[in-house]
């Protein structure tokens, strides 16, 4: 078992979580919690794979996935922003709906055959760095590198640009933002859309790069929910989100790979000799999410930081409250 | 301020539609009509999607009706599917009433099934125990395991303010892996991914068991679990609307701040409500495993725990409405098994929930057509 290979695969797998988490950070920063991430990822994975199978062009698949997931996210946007419904239930509903639609439209897709994947390449000089180069810059899918670029870009956008300031204002104190002439409704629609687009990208990353194919609900296997959890751990910050995503990605790979070898650190590998113990390994990412949430929540209480103040509260012009 | 009269007021479009916030809650029948209308819209949308996916919408709906209400036999099967939904729907209703988003009924269902199975398979009781003792102990075990699975997220929420939506959902996955471990490794019957069949003494009695005395019951699969569901509805109604604890639950749900100022113990109530909710879902798992499946295996739930969320919402958290709604969704699940593509029932459920939430807008706002001025 080669740890470098596992970590390398972990970075690729973590990219999925990275996209989904950053997308949800955008939506929540604007004050809309979208629990439909899992469903939107499935829509993305299904439409990306199906487009790539039909046209032979994975780039087109990527584009379709982002648009499809972005569009379906607008159902949630309409219900929570315009109709002012409860964001939790609406997000769950979107999740059910998107999952169902992707299962219906993805029927028979699992036997559709293979597709040409998105290109993989190494970064010339950076990949020569010992260890880190091999993990982060060697023979990765182009999406992994897009992920690297996205982290600082989003961080800069949220914290140091005018639109980013507007985004935060809408999520923290929409009434004040409104008086300054920012269109709260439009902003929220926009960032729910951005969240949907990134969730679609996350889904496409699975079906076009990390684990190519369509395995109905097992394509995402709860990663959308882990992403929602990671947002809280990340405290709505892209860098912390990246940290959490890559750790979780590595954990997922480790669980897959640890059962392979007969020897582990020169000892008998218990997971090789008792293959059923693998079920306990399978629990780890989910158990870990809970642990990470506990850590995040305790930290939030201690440092007195928390969710965007208007998160979950519909904005109604001219009413009291946030 | 002087407003010059515009020519628009004399045009044929001199009326406009405005939405006004309702000042008081609408009457019950309005809410009922809006809900019915939402379901109708949902079915229309579902039909369009089915047509787009290359199916025949009318045929699908006709099939659902015929395959679930067509005869006494299939209606009995519908009730069998409705049984776990009633209990899970109640579990969600109780938690949602306290504004605790228990999305983990699916996991609590699996753990309830595990607890009941453990009684038979460990075995805690010999196979020739009297059925009444068996069923009682299995019920206790199912309820206990479900409550434990509800306690963990409840405790984390109460003590560390950990988002219960995500913890309950994560625990669903853990519950499935936990059950799989026992199915594959411990209780596997000759290498198959299922346990041995429970002894007959551990089966919930079915109507068909009494076909000797009442011939009309021949072949009817409805089992005692349905009675559990109905009794649980009465119990939940009594607790929520006729007991002090229920009053506290509703107060916390409606206005947590006021509840805190009134001196209610929110920490304790959060944990207790989650445990109660988990216990009901666990009972659903026990009823399904002893009433229908009769062995522990992998696919014991076609997403009952998630359908329970929709049931609770559609029933507006009313324990008695949960029964009725469960029968409808039981029909959808029963008939949906044969519909192709297989994702259709799940999709219809999603569309119904989306339309339902959207329709809540009309409970809060009323439409008025006013003259332009």
């Amino acid at each position: 078992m080669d740890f470098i290979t596992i970590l390398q695969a972990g970075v690729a797998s973590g990219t999925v979580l990275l996209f989904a988490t950053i997308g949800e950070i955008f939506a929540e920063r604007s004050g809309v919690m979208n629990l439909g991430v899992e469903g939107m990822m499935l829509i993305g994975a299904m439409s990306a794979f199906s487009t790539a199978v039909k046209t032979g062009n994975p780039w087109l698949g990527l584009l379709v996935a982002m648009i499809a997931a972005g569009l379906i996210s607008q159902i949630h946007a309409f219900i929570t922003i315009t109709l002012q419904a409860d964001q939790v239930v609406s997000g769950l509903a979107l999740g059910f709906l998107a999952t169902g639609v992707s299962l219906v439209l993805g029927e028979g897709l699992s036997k559709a055959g293979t597709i040409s994947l998105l290109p993989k390449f190494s970064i010339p000089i950076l990949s020569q760095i010992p260890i880190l180069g091999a993990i982060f810059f060697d023979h990765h899918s182009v999406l992994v590198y897009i992920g690297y670029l996205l982290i600082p870009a989003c961080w800069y956008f949220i914290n140091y640009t005018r639109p980013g300031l507007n985004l935060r204002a809408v999520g923290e104190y929409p009434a004040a933002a409104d008086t300054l002439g920012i269109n709260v409704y439009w902003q929220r629609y926009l960032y729910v859309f951005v969240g949907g687009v990134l969730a679609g990208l996350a889904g496409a990353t699975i079906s076009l790069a990390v684990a190519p194919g369509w395995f109905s609900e097992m394509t995402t296997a709860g990663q959308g929910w882990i992403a929602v959890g990671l947002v809280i751990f990340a405290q709505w910050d892209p860098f912390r989100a990246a940290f959490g995503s890559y750790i979780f990605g590595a954990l997922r790979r480790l669980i897959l790979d640890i059962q392979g070898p007969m020897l582990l650190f020169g000892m008998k590998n218990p997971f090789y000799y008792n293959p059923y113990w693998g079920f306990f390994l399978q629990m780890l990412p989910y158990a870990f999410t809970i642990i990470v949430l506990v850590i995040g929540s305790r930290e939030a209480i201690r440092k007195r930081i928390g969710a965007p103040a208007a998160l979950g509260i519909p904005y109604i012009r001219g009413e009291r409250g946030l | 301020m002087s407003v010059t009269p515009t020519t628009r007021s004399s045009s044929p479009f001199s009326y406009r539609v405005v939405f006004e916030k309702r000042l008081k809650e609408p009457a019950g029948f309005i809410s009922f009509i809006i809900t019915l209308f939402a379901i109708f819209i949902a079915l229309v949308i579902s039909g369009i999607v089915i047509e787009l996916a290359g199916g025949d919408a009318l045929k699908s709906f006709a099939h659902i009706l015929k395959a679930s209400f067509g005869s006494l036999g299939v209606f009995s099967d519908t009730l069998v599917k409705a049984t776990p939904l009633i209990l899970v729907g109640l579990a969600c209703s109780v938690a949602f009433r306290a504004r605790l988003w228990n999305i983990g009924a699916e996991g609590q269902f699996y753990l309830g099934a595990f607890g009941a199975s453990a009684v038979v398979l460990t075995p805690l009781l010999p196979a020739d125990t009297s059925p009444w003792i068996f069923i009682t102990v299995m019920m206790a075990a199912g309820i206990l395991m479900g409550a434990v699975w509800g306690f963990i997220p409840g405790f984390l929420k109460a003590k560390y303010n950990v988002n219960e939506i995500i913890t309950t959902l994560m625990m669903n996955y853990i519950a499935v892996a936990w059950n799989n471990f026992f199915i594959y490794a411990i209780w596997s019957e000759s290498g198959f991914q299922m346990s041995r069949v429970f002894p007959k003494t551990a089966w919930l009695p079915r109507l068909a068991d009494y076909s000797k005395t009442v011939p009309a019951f021949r072949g009817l699969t409805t089992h005692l679990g349905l009675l559990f569901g109905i009794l649980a509805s009465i119990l939940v109604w009594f607790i929520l609307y006729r007991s002090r604890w229920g009053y506290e639950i509703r107060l916390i749900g409606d206005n947590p701040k006021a509840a805190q100022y009134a001196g209610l113990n929110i920490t304790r109530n959060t944990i207790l409500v989650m445990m109660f909710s988990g216990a009901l879902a666990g009972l659903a798992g026990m009823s399904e495993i002893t009433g229908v499946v009769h062995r522990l295996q992998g696919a014991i739930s076609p997403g009952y725990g998630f359908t329970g969320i929709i049931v609770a919402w559609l029933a507006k958290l009313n324990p008695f409405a949960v029964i009725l709604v469960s029968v409808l969704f039981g029909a959808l699940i029963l008939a949906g098994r044969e519909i192709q593509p297989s994702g259709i029932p799940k999709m219809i459920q999603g569309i119904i929930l989306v339309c339902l939430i959207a329709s809540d807008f009309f409970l809060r706002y009323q439409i008025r057509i006013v003259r332009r001025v």
Side-chain angles (χ1 to χ4, degrees):
Chain A
M1 195 170 64
D2 181 5
F3 268 102
I4 303 244
T5 325
I6 289 178
L7 290 178
Q8 192 193 8
V11 167
S13 164
T15 304
V16 176
L17 284 171
L18 177 73
F19 288 142
T21 310
I22 289 191
E24 182 68 8
I25 286 178
F26 273 115
E28 292 198 6
R29 280 278 181 146
S30 81
V32 182
M33 176 170 41
N34 188 349
L35 294 179
V37 182
E38 176 90 358
M40 296 191 295
M41 281 172 73
L42 280 169
I43 288 277
M46 182 276 300
S47 48
F49 189 69
S50 121
T51 312
V53 164
K54 288 202 180 94
T55 64
N57 185 345
W59 291 103
L60 198 62
L62 199 63
L63 187 71
V64 171
M66 289 163 72
I67 294 174
L71 286 180
I72 208 157
S73 76
Q74 294 303 290
I75 298 176
H76 178 68
F78 177 70
I79 293 177
T80 55
I81 301 167
T82 302
L83 300 186
Q84 302 155 8
D86 189 286
Q87 292 178 0
V88 173
V89 193
S90 172
L92 289 174
L94 177 72
F96 290 134
L97 175 73
T99 307
V101 170
S102 65
L103 292 183
V104 170
L105 298 179
E107 179 84 5
L109 206 57
S110 54
K111 300 184 268 303
T114 52
I115 51 164
S116 52
L117 302 179
L118 290 167
K120 284 188 172 183
F121 55 87
S122 308
I123 304 278
I125 299 162
L126 291 175
S127 61
Q128 301 306 317
I129 306 171
I131 305 179
L132 286 183
I135 295 172
F136 287 103
F137 301 107
D138 193 29
H139 200 64
H140 270 308
S141 168
V142 60
L143 290 170
V144 174
Y145 301 118
I146 292 178
Y148 297 157
L149 297 179
L150 200 65
I151 307 161
C154 292
W155 174 77
Y156 184 80
F157 177 85
I158 292 174
N159 292 306
Y160 294 100
T161 67
R162 182 45 109 170
L165 181 66
N166 292 353
L167 161 65
R168 284 183 290 141
V170 164
E172 296 287 351
Y173 200 166
D178 199 359
T179 50
L180 290 175
I182 303 167
N183 189 331
V184 176
Y185 301 104
W186 195 85
Q187 290 275 315
R188 288 189 169 173
Y189 268 99
L190 174 69
Y191 287 108
V192 172
F193 184 75
V194 170
V197 165
L198 284 171
L201 179 62
T205 309
I206 300 175
S207 66
L208 298 178
V210 176
W214 171 249
F215 313 98
S216 47
E217 281 162 303
M218 289 317 291
T219 316
T220 50
Q223 290 190 73
W225 291 104
I226 294 183
V228 176
L230 276 179
V231 171
I232 297 171
F233 166 74
Q235 288 160 1
W236 297 268
D237 174 69
F239 277 107
R240 285 187 64 129
F243 175 71
S245 301
Y246 291 133
I247 298 234
F248 265 85
L251 185 68
R252 278 178 66 86
R253 285 307 309 186
L254 188 69
I255 288 161
L256 286 179
D257 293 334
I258 204 168
Q259 300 183 65
M262 291 172 71
L263 289 175
L264 201 64
F265 308 118
M267 290 179 292
K268 278 185 174 177
N269 181 355
F271 299 110
Y272 178 83
Y273 290 99
N274 308 294
Y276 297 126
W277 289 17
F279 288 114
F280 291 102
L281 290 176
Q282 280 176 21
M283 295 176 190
L284 281 182
Y286 309 112
F288 228 72
T289 309
I290 296 177
I291 294 169
V292 152
L293 269 179
V294 175
I295 296 171
S297 307
R298 297 196 66 172
E299 200 176 0
I301 293 172
R302 207 184 57 236
K303 289 192 191 164
R304 293 176 174 278
I305 41 174
L311 183 63
I313 306 164
Y315 178 63
I316 307 167
R317 213 176 199 182
E319 266 199 12
R320 283 186 60 200
L322 278 171
Chain B
M1 206 161 70
S2 68
V3 179
T4 47
T6 55
T7 48
R8 227 188 303 160
S9 58
S10 60
S11 77
F13 302 108
S14 60
Y15 293 93
R16 64 196 179 103
V17 178
V18 292
F19 296 101
E20 282 181 354
K21 196 146 198 171
R22 287 181 197 268
L23 296 177
K24 53 178 198 245
E25 290 219 343
F29 75 94
I30 292 182
S31 146
F32 184 68
I33 288 170
I34 290 173
T35 304
L36 277 189
F37 190 69
I39 295 174
F40 174 73
I41 296 285
L43 291 181
V44 170
I45 297 174
S46 310
I48 293 171
V49 179
I50 292 173
E51 293 280 343
L52 286 180
D56 187 331
L58 284 181
K59 233 183 214 168
S60 297
F61 290 138
H63 172 83
I64 290 178
L65 274 184
K66 198 161 150 277
S68 48
F69 297 108
S71 70
L72 193 62
V74 290
F75 182 63
S76 157
D77 288 346
T78 299
L79 290 181
V80 170
K81 294 283 175 205
T83 302
L85 286 180
I86 295 173
L87 289 164
V88 169
L90 289 172
C92 293
S93 301
V94 169
F96 293 177
R97 201 66 195 75
R99 286 217 147 249
L100 287 170
W101 300 109
N102 178 14
I103 316 300
E106 183 83 358
Q108 292 143 12
F109 178 95
Y110 270 87
L111 259 283
F114 165 80
S117 307
V119 174
V120 186
L121 299 169
T122 312
L124 291 180
L125 292 174
D128 55 355
T129 317
S130 143
W132 295 112
I133 298 176
F134 231 132
I135 289 169
T136 316
V137 175
M138 288 172 95
M139 272 176 79
I143 287 172
L144 181 73
M145 289 309 293
V148 166
W149 223 237
F151 169 79
I152 299 170
F155 178 79
L156 293 177
K157 167 84 179 175
K159 286 279 180 214
Y160 303 117
N161 196 27
V162 179
N163 185 323
E164 78 280 12
I165 303 170
I166 301 161
T167 44
T168 48
L169 213 116
M170 291 296 124
M171 292 187 64
N172 287 344
Y173 292 98
I174 298 176
V176 171
W178 172 268
N179 263 18
N180 276 343
F181 173 73
F182 283 89
I183 296 163
Y184 281 75
I186 310 286
W187 295 329
S188 161
E189 191 188 34
S190 53
F192 288 106
Q193 291 134 25
M194 47 177 72
S195 74
R196 65 188 163 84
V197 177
F198 296 172
K200 289 260 185 186
T201 42
W203 293 19
L204 287 182
R206 299 170 163 186
L207 283 184
D209 298 345
Y210 300 98
S211 58
K212 281 205 183 93
T213 41
V214 188
F217 284 173
R218 182 167 300 140
L220 297 188
T221 49
T222 307
H223 57 84
L224 190 66
L226 184 64
L227 192 67
F228 295 171
I230 292 167
L231 291 178
S233 301
I234 298 168
L235 177 73
V236 167
W237 176 82
F238 186 83
I239 288 179
L240 277 183
Y241 298 101
R242 288 291 178 273
S243 80
R244 188 198 153 98
W245 185 38
Y247 178 74
E248 294 187 5
I249 293 175
R250 286 184 291 134
L251 183 58
I252 291 173
D254 288 339
N255 195 337
K257 274 224 174 88
Q260 198 166 15
Y261 291 139
L264 296 189
N265 189 339
I266 296 198
T267 307
R268 201 191 63 177
N269 269 314
T270 301
I271 297 174
L272 283 181
V273 168
M274 285 301 285
M275 286 177 75
F276 185 37
S277 177
L280 285 166
L283 180 61
M286 174 271 172
S287 131
E288 187 72 2
I289 207 91
T290 55
V292 179
V293 193
H294 302 139
R295 64 183 348 153
L296 191 63
Q297 59 181 35
I300 49 174
S301 160
Y304 286 132
F306 299 109
T307 307
I309 298 168
I310 307 178
V311 167
W313 206 255
L314 193 53
K316 303 252 185 279
L317 312 186
N318 177 329
F320 296 122
V322 163
I323 299 178
L324 191 72
V325 176
S326 296
V327 173
L328 294 179
F329 276 82
L332 186 61
I333 291 177
L334 177 75
R337 289 178 309 180
E338 300 134 35
I339 295 178
Q340 290 299 323
S342 53
I344 283 184
K346 197 163 243 166
M347 187 191 70
I348 295 182
Q349 289 183 21
I351 294 177
I352 290 179
L353 188 54
V354 166
C355 290
L356 205 66
I357 296 160
S359 78
D360 280 351
F361 179 76
F362 296 103
L363 295 181
R364 282 176 281 117
Y365 286 82
Q366 55 190 354
I367 311 171
R368 281 195 33 202
I369 299 170
V370 294
R371 202 179 246 286
R372 267 187 210 282
V373 282

